[in-house]
Amino acid sequence: MLYVVGLGPGEKEKMSLEAIEVIKKVEVIVGYTTYVRLIKELVGEKEIVSTGMKQEIDRCKKAIEIAKTGKDVAVISSGDAGVYGMAGLILELVSQMDEELAVKVIPGITASIAGAALLGAPLMNDFCHISLSDLMTPWTMIEKRLHAAASADFVICLYNPRSKGRPNHLAKALAIIQQYKSKDTIIGLAKDVGRKKEQAIFTSIGDIDETLVDMTTVVLVGNKETYLSDGRMITPRGYQL
């Protein structure tokens, strides 16, 4: 059996019981080195296959090869394996095979959900995810999605918002969003959720300090109804109070 496991944001407490049980029972763990490190206390003496960034295809092919020998294998992803994770790639590769291989996807808490809980309740109404990484998606397409989401006043969860290689992507995204949303629109920054340096920061489109944002930050841009109260970011669902 080949499992694709979502680890959640980082700490064991935010992993599902199913994910923990699968990791304990499989013979082989395959994953990005940093993610393997997150579950080192669960791994024990298991066989580990780990690689660095940008080696996802090789990593998934290796996991499939091992699973075809009859071993139980877990491919691990942070957050949810089906949200910018390894589930899609595994299923695409397996679908190209002539022989059958049993695959089970184990869900995990994705960054926006964990970040929202840290910030308050910003996702109570319609929201969407947009990754600002143009490694897989052309920037022109990302811009179209930003225009569409902002014009519809979705709460927008920005993944991969800013890195050394993409220092200006967040600024470009917020410039597009501000064409449709007020500069006073509340933004929540959920940094290092579930890890030692976890931090919640509240700001607005007009006041955001982009230097606070990195690849371990999820940026939640509110809608026109989103507000702050007692250190919590709240998007009303629409109940008449």
Side-chain angles (χ1 to χ4, degrees):
M1 173 73 82
L2 178 57
Y3 297 91
V4 193
V5 183
L7 300 179
E11 60 185 347
K12 183 179 177 182
E13 288 75 12
K14 287 186 172 64
M15 291 176 61
S16 71
L17 290 176
E18 185 179 23
I20 292 172
E21 289 172 0
V22 166
I23 289 169
K24 286 182 176 179
K25 78 177 183 180
V26 298
E27 300 162 84
V28 184
I29 303 289
V30 179
Y32 173 43
T33 306
T34 299
Y35 302 155
V36 172
R37 195 179 305 125
L38 291 175
I39 58 168
K40 60 182 179 181
E41 63 181 84
L42 299 174
V43 170
E45 300 300 317
K46 297 180 187 293
E47 180 183 348
I48 303 295
V49 177
S50 61
T51 61
M53 289 287 284
K54 300 182 181 180
Q55 299 178 46
E56 292 86 358
I57 295 177
D58 290 341
R59 194 157 65 231
C60 288
K61 285 183 175 179
K62 182 64 176 178
I64 290 170
E65 289 174 7
I66 296 172
K68 286 167 63 177
T69 68
K71 292 183 177 180
D72 286 333
V73 180
V75 177
I76 58 174
S77 288
S78 66
D80 182 273
V83 180
Y84 307 121
M86 293 294 98
L89 181 54
I90 285 288
L91 293 176
E92 285 185 79
L93 290 170
V94 169
S95 71
Q96 296 175 4
M97 295 167 42
D98 293 330
E99 54 191 292
E100 292 187 2
L101 176 64
V103 178
K104 184 174 183 180
V105 179
I106 310 298
I109 299 175
T110 191
S112 62
I113 304 303
L118 175 66
L119 296 167
L123 305 183
M124 284 295 295
N125 214 315
D126 295 336
F127 66 95
C128 68
H129 293 148
I130 299 177
S131 170
L132 298 187
S133 171
D134 55 1
L135 293 176
M136 300 290 181
T137 304
W139 181 253
T140 53
M141 178 57 70
I142 294 171
E143 286 186 336
K144 289 181 181 179
R145 291 170 179 171
L146 288 165
H147 279 287
S151 64
D153 200 30
F154 280 91
V155 174
I156 305 173
C157 307
L158 298 176
Y159 278 54
N160 306 311
R162 188 171 179 271
S163 67
K164 292 180 180 178
R166 299 185 298 277
N168 300 316
H169 280 25
L170 178 59
K172 291 179 181 178
L174 292 177
I176 291 172
I177 291 170
Q178 196 172 335
Q179 294 178 34
Y180 308 94
K181 295 176 182 279
S182 164
K183 68 178 182 179
D184 297 322
T185 300
I186 302 299
I187 288 180
L189 307 179
K191 295 176 62 66
D192 296 296
V193 181
R195 303 179 188 182
K196 291 181 180 179
K197 296 182 180 181
E198 179 180 88
Q199 187 178 13
I201 299 171
F202 301 102
T203 182
S204 66
I205 291 178
D207 293 330
I208 186 171
D209 179 358
E210 294 169 23
T211 65
L212 297 174
V213 178
D214 56 22
M215 288 293 282
T216 61
T217 306
V218 60
V219 178
L220 275 67
V221 183
N223 68 17
K224 65 182 179 181
E225 304 291 341
T226 303
Y227 66 97
L228 288 178
S229 178
D230 298 323
R232 299 287 186 178
M233 183 178 178
I234 302 169
T235 299
R237 178 69 181 92
Y239 298 110
Q240 298 300 313
L241 302 179

